[in-house]
Amino acid sequence: MTSNRLGELLVRNDLISAEQLNQALEDQKLNGGRLGTCLVRLGFVKEEELSAFLSKQYGVPSINLNDFEIDPDVIRHVPAEISQKYQIVPVNRAGSTLIVAMNDPSNLFAIDDLKFMTGFNIEVVVATESAIKAAIDKYYDQSATFADVMEDLEDIDLEVVDEEDDVDVNALEKATEDAPVVKLVNLILTDAIKKKASDIHIEPYEKSFRVRYRIDGVLYEAMKPPMKLKAAITSRIKIMAELDIAERRLPQDGRIKIKLPGGKDMDYRVSCLPTLFGEKIVCRLLDKSNLQLDMTKLGYDPQPLQWFKEAIHKPFGMVLVTGPTGSGKTVSLYSALAELNDTSLNISTAEDPVEFNFAGINQVHMHEEIGLNFAAALRSFLRQDPDIIMIGEIRDFETAEIGIKAALTGHMVLSTLHTNDAPSTISRMLNMGIEPFLVASAVNLITAQRLGRRVCKECKEVEEIPKQALIDAGVSPEAVDEYVCYRGAGCDVCNNTGYKGRVGIYQIMPMFEEIRELVLAGANTSEIKRESMRLGVNTMRQSALIKLKEGVTSFEEVLRCTVSDD
């Protein structure tokens, strides 16, 4: 039933006035939704009155779902996603007829779709919108447990493909379409979101098959699916990521994009790696809605943050971010780009892969197989009248050389490297073959970083740490009495880990004139490190101890994330 048709009928039957109808139509334009929902929200008609009216109008029974207990076997006939999409709930089955409750009996498209999908004749009863939503929440457990999914697997006998045999692609594709396999993979992907995991590891071993989530930088085992589902689960994820399920000898990379309830999108970067007992799959969750680009909230201390901002706002030069995989380098680069993004600047990025897309920034995804690597993209950027260039990673001499030359010819270049700390980055570039005078001239600033876990605020408590342990960790004997250490006792909020969220630990080293002179003189890493400390640069351990003193992280995390300065 169209909005106008329903509205006219309600006015004609004196349930609402013409003026109220116009107000509801305006509300519908502004906020969306069905006209009936808008009328109820505005208080012009009660849900029960609307249901009774529709029941009478269409000659279908009205039902109070709150007084009705639905058999789980009936619920299983309609998948949760279909129930959510059409706002319907199956309430009973009589032979070849399925009785479903809906608040809009005129939605013939939904009825036809249900008939085609279930194979039943569909008989409609009317229920209020709120009652249907409550029933969906009640009967379709959105956080279904692993055990619930496993109940559906008892009658399924999937044969694991022998590693020595040829792959039967048709059999694998059929196995991936089985409802329990689809449901289990969906559970793995969505449960990771609920637990705020950053990565999903799906790992096959000789006699076991396990799923682990990385939460706040640490891996936790989530479930152990049956071995017989190994091939089906792996193939299901590969199909979703548009990978070749017949290829099991070579690594593959892909991407899954899913739409969550509420219209929110979630991307998973999928990496498939052949191992001794099958393919290990790692999915990295990319949630743009949780991307924190405000530099003041990333964990930078005031003076280092000022140095970082001054370096990226210079008209030319190079800013390097270093650290291991998963240390937040990409977020630091994106926060810098967000700070610099302006209509007056041409910003281009070469990324492998593009993790998040930004309006106003020209982002290029690398494809090594066709020759589009960082060096090729960088050469092309220089013909595109750039102001700011971001290179995902400097991996070789060619990329480093072109980046350095771009930094010396009037461009701001941002990039990452894999090194342990800021001073060792200079040695890494020299080892690549870059001349010392080029490094000294081009680099504005180097920042090294790690991610430490935050102590959970809900269960935070004082932890007694021996003074000597603090001194051994790097606290000066004069300042040791100023330290009050905290840890998380463990609660429901933090899944009894004692930690919730992460904070950046940074070593930000500007290229002071004294450091440039040391580089030109061929100084080693330890000499550069000592001079940078003399000039006020905090080491990684010193930055972590500042977070400990502020009560942000624990002594355990300080020792886990950083090494001693001795």
Side-chain angles (χ1 to χ4, degrees), residues 199-201 203 212-215 217-221 280:
D199 301 86
I200 304 168
H201 291 241
E203 303 166 315
R212 292 191 292 170
Y213 296 150
R214 186 177 294 280
I215 303 169
V218 178
L219 282 167
Y220 298 92
E221 188 172 295
K280 172 174 177 174

Side-chain angles (χ1 to χ4, degrees), residues 238-257:
K238 288 173 73 174
I239 286 172
M240 291 174 76
E242 298 181 353
L243 301 178
D244 181 2
I245 63 171
E247 179 55 76
R248 296 172 300 149
R249 299 166 301 168
L250 294 172
Q252 296 185 73
D253 294 303
R255 200 164 188 150
I256 298 172
K257 188 168 186 174

Side-chain angles (χ1 to χ4, degrees), residues 68-106:
F68 208 91
E69 195 61 38
I70 304 172
D71 190 329
D73 289 334
V74 174
I75 289 290
R76 287 196 184 102
H77 290 304
V78 179
E81 55 269 25
I82 298 297
S83 181
Q84 287 276 10
K85 181 179 179 182
Y86 294 125
Q87 288 294 291
I88 56 174
V89 177
V91 293
N92 206 349
R93 178 190 162 191
S96 61
T97 299
L98 187 67
I99 301 163
V100 299
M102 57 196 304
N103 68 343
D104 181 8
S106 67

Side-chain angles (χ1 to χ4, degrees), residues 114-131:
L114 265 179
K115 187 174 181 180
F116 175 77
M117 187 189 67
T118 62
F120 290 109
N121 294 318
I122 303 300
E123 190 174 304
V124 175
V125 294
V126 180
T128 63
E129 187 173 6
S130 62

Side-chain angles (χ1 to χ4, degrees), residues 442-462:
V443 177
N444 289 346
L445 177 141
I446 302 168
T447 172
Q449 62 185 72
R450 299 287 187 279
L451 289 176
R453 292 181 290 175
R454 291 178 182 269
V455 173
C456 175
K457 293 178 181 177
E458 301 298 322
C459 58
K460 189 175 182 179
E461 64 180 23
V462 174

Side-chain angles (χ1 to χ4, degrees), residues 338-350:
E339 173 98 1
L340 296 168
N341 194 6
D342 188 89
T343 52
S344 64
L345 296 172
N346 175 21
I347 304 175
S348 297
T349 74

Side-chain angles (χ1 to χ4, degrees), residues 116 132 246 250 270 430 453 460 484 513:
F116 175 77
I132 288 173
L250 294 172
V270 180
L430 297 177
R453 292 181 290 175
K460 189 175 182 179
V484 178
E513 200 57 45

Side-chain angles (χ1 to χ4, degrees), residues 196 327 389 465 561:
K196 300 195 181 301
S327 61
I389 296 169
I465 303 292
C561 296

